[in-house]
Structure formats: structure tokens, C-alpha cells
Amino acid sequence: PKDIDLNLKAYQMFEGTDLLAIEGMSFSTVLALMSEVGMEGIKKFKTAKHFASWLRLAPNNKVSGGKVLSSKVPKGSNRLKIALRNAANAIGNLKDSTPLRDFFQRISFRKGRVSAISATARKLAVIIWNMVVKGIPYENPEGYLFLDQKRKLGLVKRIKKQIDKFGLTNEDLGLEISSN
């Protein structure tokens, strides 16, 4: 319907939770969540793991004698699982680096795109459960560091540790401190 503001309805239904803040989420994904489980339905799951398992997004670990026989995601589907997998696929197609996209890329490199879609869809389900049930807002960290920035911080940390270890002073290092 043209007259319905779906963003506002979802915001009201999920008691002030903005699910569209998650990258990759679309109106169709939120609509699938609203129609399949709703507000009260999602609160019936004790943990996010229960919710992901109900969606058939969590691996079914079959262990016998301490040996893992199988760890495949069980068969079965519903509209919400399909919507979350579509959102995960959209995350995989993003050009900008975000934590979810980088997670998708890491899994895709190791296990393939299909496994990455399932893993990211499970992660989305956990994020949604935490947002709706616990009221934790999703914040895409603006201070998200790229790999070269992480390396730089690690290098600075190691250098500071070495300076402290050997008791070096500014004069020893040849550093000038300007006082304004």
C-alpha cells in the first residue's frame, strides 16, 4: 500500500527499534520479520541462538564419540530465512567496507559465497534479536579501523612497550618537545 509508512510502523511495532539501521536490511526484510514472527513472537525465544536455530540458520552439529560427523545447516525454509539470506547477499555486494561486509568477505574467502550468505544471515538474525529483545541499538562503528590503521596502532603500541622496557627518554631518541 502506498499510504503506509513502513519505517514508522516497524519502529512502532518493535518499540522504538530502527531495524533499517543495519546495512543490507530493506523494507521487504523488515516486512518479512513483521509478518513471520512479529514483536511478541520474537520475544518468545530465550536466546538469539534459539531464534537462529528456529530459522534454520544455525549449524546442526552432529557429534558422536567426540568426533564431529556433520555441521551443516539443516534443510528447511521460511520467508524470514529467505529475506535474511537476501539481505546477507546484499551485504556481500556492498562496495564500502563495513564490519558486516568484511565478515562476509572473510567467510566467502574461506568457505565460499553460499556459506558466507548463511553465516551472515545468522549474524543478522542475532543482531535483530538483540535489537528487539534486549533493546541494544545497532551502531555501525564510525571508528571502524581499516587493516593499515590497525597495523599502525599495533606498531605504536609495540614501540611504546620497547621504550618503557629500555627506559628511553626523549633525549635518547632525539625527539624535541615544543612547548607552546
Side-chain angles (χ1 to χ4, degrees):
K2 296 175 185 176
D3 300 339
I4 297 175
D5 183 9
L6 192 58
N7 196 10
L8 180 64
K9 283 290 184 194
Y11 195 78
Q12 290 170 346
M13 183 176 183
F14 295 115
E15 297 173 355
T17 304
D18 185 17
L19 295 173
L20 292 171
I22 305 170
E23 64 265 16
M25 290 286 282
S26 64
F27 289 117
S28 62
T29 309
V30 173
L31 195 58
L33 180 67
M34 290 167 65
S35 65
E36 288 295 313
V37 291
M39 180 62 182
E40 298 306 316
I42 201 167
K43 287 187 173 182
K44 289 181 181 176
F45 297 102
K46 286 191 262 183
T47 64
K49 289 182 179 181
H50 285 94
F51 182 55
S53 180
W54 176 77
L55 286 171
R56 303 231 183 233
L57 289 170
N60 185 16
N61 296 323
K62 293 182 183 175
V63 180
S64 177
K67 182 179 177 185
V68 177
L69 301 176
S70 172
S71 62
K72 293 185 176 181
V73 175
K75 288 184 179 180
S77 189
N78 60 36
R79 288 182 194 97
L80 184 54
K81 178 181 178 179
I82 293 168
L84 288 174
R85 287 178 61 87
N86 288 338
N89 192 31
I91 289 169
N93 291 334
L94 289 175
K95 300 292 183 210
D96 297 331
S97 180
T98 64
L100 281 174
R101 182 195 160 265
D102 293 345
F103 171 79
F104 183 94
Q105 294 295 329
R106 283 193 307 273
I107 302 296
S108 179
F109 180 75
R110 278 196 333 245
K111 297 198 172 201
R113 189 167 179 92
V114 175
S115 295
I117 290 172
S118 292
T120 309
R122 190 204 71 79
K123 190 174 275 280
L124 281 173
V126 170
I127 290 170
I128 290 169
W129 187 88
N130 283 319
M131 285 177 74
V132 173
V133 176
K134 291 185 176 181
I136 300 170
Y138 177 75
E139 294 175 9
N140 189 357
E142 292 176 14
Y144 184 71
L145 301 176
F146 294 102
L147 194 55
D148 56 340
Q149 292 170 319
K150 285 183 182 179
R151 286 187 186 132
K152 183 178 176 183
L153 285 178
L155 180 64
V156 169
K157 186 177 178 182
R158 286 192 302 277
I159 291 171
K160 284 181 180 179
K161 193 174 181 181
Q162 291 290 324
I163 289 172
D164 291 342
K165 180 180 175 183
F166 293 112
L168 299 174
T169 62
N170 290 334
E171 291 82 28
D172 294 338
L173 297 172
L175 298 175
E176 295 179 18
I177 299 177
S178 60
S179 57
N180 293 337

